[in-house]
Amino acid sequence: MDFDAAARRLAKEQSQIHSRRTQSRRVEISARAKREAVHRQAQQARLVEEKREKQRQHDFITTYMRQCDRMLGLKGLGNDNGSLLLRATSIHGQGDKIALPPSVLQFLTNTGLEMADTPWTFRIAIRNTSYEFPASPLLKSMSIPRKSHTVDEEDSDSEEDTNATSAYLDEMTYRYLAYTHATVVEFTQDEGCVGIPEPIAAALLSQRGRGDVLTTRTTDPSANTHDKSKDVSESETDMNRSTNNETDEGKTPGHIAWGAFDVPDCLIEVSLVHLPKGQACTLVPTQEALKNGFHNLKDVKLVLEQSLIRTRATLSVGDLVHSWHRGKKYDLTVRDVAPSTFNAVLCINTDIEVEFGRNERSMDSDEASVLHNELKATLSGRRLGDPIDCPTRDNVTEFDSNMQRIADELTPEPPLEQNSGVCIVQIRGDGTHARRRFDVQNSTVNDLFAFASFVVGTGSPFRLVTRFPRRVFIPDHASISLADAGIADGQELFLIERI
C-alpha cells in the first residue's frame, strides 16, 4: 500500500513539473513571438515612414520646380498647356529672333497672352530623351524646411533669390541637352516648323555636353516637287548654295536660308517665358575679336548700340553675340548677367551696365606684343619728327614676362552683385585711360600698380597720384590693402607720373 501511494505521489509531482515546464516554455514562446511581432511592426512603420518621407520629398521638389516655372512665367504652347515640338528650319538673321507658324500667334492672342511693354520671349530647347525626374544632385539633396510654409503656391510673389533657383537651373541641364532664349520676328513658318537663325543654332549645337545631337542642312521643299531637280549636278548645286551664301547678309531677318548653316536634326521644344529685365552683364571678347582689334575701338558703346540692340532682345549665359564696326566682326561671349536668377535677361526697354571680362585664353608672345603696340599707337601717338622707338627682342621679352607676371598677380574683379567695399578705379596717363572695379579689402596697392602697368605698358618707372587732395602712391606700398591705403568705396581717379 505504501508503494502504491508513493507511486501516485511521484506521478503527481512529475505531472506538476511537466506542467510547469510546459507553461514556462509557452511563456518564452509567447515573449519571443511578442518581440518578433514588435520588431516587425517597427520595421513596417519605419518602411512606411521612409516611403512617406520620400513622397514628401518628391512632392516638395515637384512643388519647388512648379514654383520656379511660375517665377519664370513658363507657359506651354501646345494643347492643354503642353509642350510644343517643332522641326528646326534655317532662316537669315544675326540675332535671337525666330520665326513661328501662324497657329502660335493664334494661340497667344486667343489665350490673352499679349505682352504690354516687352516682346514675347521663348525658351528654345533640345530635350534629353533619357531624362528622368529628378536627375540633378542639387535637387535630390534639397531638404524640406522645418517651417510650415516651406514651399507654398502663394509664396510665388516673394522676393527672388538667386540661390533658390540654383537647383532649378542645374535640373535644366539634365532635362535639356541645350537651351537658349529668343524672341519672334514673324509668324510665317510652315506648320510644324520653327525658323532659327545661325546664332540660335550655334548656341544649341555648342552646348551638346550630355548627348549627341544630329545636325542637318535644311533644303527647299519646293525643289523636291520637280523632277527636273534630280538632273541638277552637284557642281550646280554648290554654285547655287555659294551664291545664296554670298547674299545672306543682304537678307532681312526671318527670310528663309535653305542650307546656309547646320541646324539640329531633332524636334525643338518652344515654350513661352517671361525673363527679368537686365541690369548688368559681363561680355568677354573672343580671341578672334582681340585679333581684330576690339580693344582699339574708341567708342565701344556706339558699337554695341548699333549691333547688339538692333539684333538681340535677350542675353543668356554662354551665348555668343555678334557686333560689327566698319566691316569687322567682333564676337562676344556672355559670361554672366544680373539678375542671375535664371541666367538670362531681357534687354528691351532697360538700361544695362556692361562690363568686359578678360579672355582666359593666354596669347603667345607675338600676339601680345602686336596687341600692345596697336593699343599704344592708337591711344598715345607721337609727334612728327620724334624718333620712332623700335622695340628690341630684349624689350619684347621683358614686356612678355611683365605681362605674364601682372596677369598672375592681378586679383579678379568683385562680382557684379557686390555693392559694398567696391571702388571703381580710373587710370589716366600717357594718353591712355581705363577703368576697373577693385575690392578695397582684398585688393592691394600692388594690384593697382599691376593694372596701371597693363594700361600704360612698359617704360620708365612711375607713381600714382590723386588730385584734391594730392596723394602719392609708390610701389613700396605694394603689400598694403587699398582700404589701409585710404582708398574707400566709390570712385577714384589716379594719374600716372613718370619718375
Side-chain angles (χ1 to χ4, degrees):
M1 295 296 294
D2 295 337
F3 178 78
D4 294 337
R8 287 193 299 269
R9 189 168 51 253
L10 178 61
K12 184 178 180 180
E13 293 176 355
Q14 290 179 352
S15 178
Q16 292 177 355
I17 294 173
H18 179 72
S19 63
R20 285 196 299 267
R21 289 180 178 177
T22 303
Q23 185 177 3
S24 177
R25 190 179 299 112
R26 290 177 178 176
V27 171
E28 292 178 359
I29 294 175
S30 177
R32 184 167 62 252
K34 289 182 179 179
R35 289 195 299 270
E36 292 177 355
V38 171
H39 177 71
R40 286 194 299 269
Q41 291 178 358
Q43 188 176 9
Q44 291 178 358
R46 185 170 61 254
L47 293 176
V48 171
E49 183 62 26
E50 290 179 357
K51 185 177 180 180
R52 290 179 178 175
E53 184 65 24
K54 290 182 180 179
Q55 186 62 36
R56 286 195 296 266
Q57 177 72 11
H58 186 273
D59 294 341
F60 172 74
I61 61 179
T62 302
T63 307
Y64 164 79
M65 294 294 293
R66 291 176 180 174
Q67 178 188 3
C68 292
D69 288 338
R70 287 194 300 272
M71 292 173 56
L72 184 58
L74 181 65
K75 297 289 184 181
L77 301 178
N79 296 329
D80 298 330
N81 287 333
S83 301
L84 178 64
L85 300 178
L86 303 174
R87 181 69 62 178
T89 302
S90 55
I91 62 174
H92 287 288
Q94 292 296 331
D96 61 348
K97 295 175 175 56
I98 62 176
L100 293 171
S103 59
V104 177
L105 176 61
Q106 183 179 1
F107 175 83
L108 294 174
T109 54
N110 291 341
T111 53
L113 296 177
E114 293 87 351
M115 308 300 288
D117 57 343
T118 59
W120 281 313
T121 310
F122 303 90
R123 182 171 66 191
I124 314 298
I126 301 177
R127 281 183 170 183
N128 184 4
T129 56
S130 60
Y131 168 75
E132 293 183 0
F133 178 83
S136 168
L138 291 179
L139 192 63
K140 293 180 180 179
S141 61
M142 290 184 63
S143 59
I144 303 177
R146 296 181 179 179
K147 297 181 180 180
S148 58
H149 56 282
T150 54
V151 177
D152 198 315
E153 296 183 358
E154 297 179 356
D155 295 337
S156 58
D157 296 333
S158 59
E159 182 179 2
E160 295 184 358
D161 188 1
T162 303
N163 296 329
T165 58
S166 58
Y168 176 82
L169 296 177
D170 191 52
E171 183 70 16
M172 290 297 101
T173 61
Y174 289 88
R175 180 178 180 181
Y176 300 115
L177 298 178
Y179 71 94
T180 185
H181 301 85
T183 54
V184 61
V185 63
E186 59 186 10
F187 295 91
T188 58
Q189 278 292 308
D190 295 336
E191 293 298 331
C193 297
V194 54
I196 58 176
E198 188 274 335
I200 298 297
L204 294 176
L205 297 178
S206 63
Q207 301 178 28
R208 296 174 293 177
R210 300 188 183 276
D212 295 332
V213 178
L214 299 178
T215 61
T216 184
R217 296 227 171 182
T218 54
T219 58
D220 188 355
S222 62
N224 298 328
T225 60
H226 301 282
D227 296 334
K228 296 181 180 180
S229 62
K230 299 181 180 179
D231 300 332
V232 179
S233 62
E234 295 182 358
S235 60
E236 293 177 351
T237 303
D238 295 339
M239 183 180 301
N240 293 335
R241 178 174 295 180
S242 62
T243 304
N244 293 335
N245 292 339
E246 291 176 359
T247 59
D248 283 351
E249 296 181 357
K251 303 295 183 180
T252 57
H255 193 278
I256 295 298
W258 304 112
F261 50 85
D262 291 337
V263 295
D265 190 14
C266 60
L267 294 178
I268 304 297
E269 180 181 308
V270 182
S271 305
L272 183 69
V273 295
H274 184 71
L275 297 178
K277 290 188 177 182
Q279 300 175 358
C281 69
T282 301
L283 304 179
V284 180
T286 61
Q287 195 71 12
E288 191 67 25
L290 296 178
K291 292 181 180 179
N292 290 337
F294 177 79
H295 291 303
N296 295 343
L297 298 174
K298 295 183 179 180
D299 194 347
V300 179
K301 179 181 178 182
L302 178 63
V303 176
L304 294 179
E305 288 178 348
Q306 291 181 346
S307 301
L308 299 184
I309 295 180
R310 295 179 181 179
T311 58
R312 298 197 65 95
T314 64
L315 290 177
S316 302
V317 174
D319 281 357
L320 186 68
V321 298
H322 307 305
S323 61
W324 297 266
H325 182 65
R326 294 185 177 180
K328 288 186 178 182
K329 186 178 181 181
Y330 304 97
D331 291 340
L332 305 169
T333 304
V334 182
R335 174 177 292 178
D336 53 58
V337 294
S340 58
T341 311
F342 297 102
N343 283 343
V345 295
L346 191 69
C347 50
I348 296 294
N349 297 332
T350 183
D351 294 329
I352 299 180
E353 180 181 353
V354 179
E355 293 285 344
F356 293 100
R358 177 178 178 272
N359 194 315
E360 299 298 335
R361 180 184 174 185
S362 59
M363 297 183 294
D364 54 28
S365 59
D366 295 337
E367 292 176 345
S369 60
V370 170
L371 179 61
H372 175 69
N373 290 337
E374 291 179 355
L375 180 62
K376 186 175 181 180
T378 303
L379 298 180
S380 60
R382 65 181 182 87
R383 292 183 179 181
L384 295 177
D386 291 346
I388 301 177
D389 296 333
C390 297
T392 62
R393 181 175 298 274
D394 295 338
N395 293 336
V396 174
T397 304
E398 180 184 359
F399 168 72
D400 294 337
S401 61
N402 290 336
M403 288 289 290
Q404 185 64 34
R405 177 182 58 81
I406 291 169
D408 295 338
E409 294 178 357
L410 190 60
T411 58
E413 290 189 71
L416 296 176
E417 295 79 7
Q418 180 179 345
N419 296 324
S420 62
V422 176
C423 180
I424 301 177
V425 173
Q426 183 175 1
I427 302 293
R428 287 186 180 180
D430 293 350
T432 64
H433 66 278
R435 299 176 61 184
R436 191 180 189 275
R437 301 169 72 246
F438 285 88
D439 190 327
V440 296
Q441 298 294 337
N442 299 326
S443 301
T444 62
V445 178
N446 184 43
D447 297 326
L448 198 60
F449 273 89
F451 177 60
S453 299
F454 176 79
V455 175
V456 301
T458 58
S460 59
F462 64 89
R463 59 189 178 187
L464 298 175
V465 299
T466 62
R467 298 183 297 183
F468 310 116
R470 176 181 172 85
R471 291 178 296 171
V472 180
F473 297 88
I474 58 178
D476 294 341
H477 304 151
S479 60
I480 303 176
S481 66
L482 297 182
D484 295 337
I487 301 176
D489 304 2
Q491 298 184 6
E492 197 72 56
L493 172 64
F494 292 91
L495 303 178
I496 301 291
E497 282 192 0
R498 295 290 181 177
I499 302 177

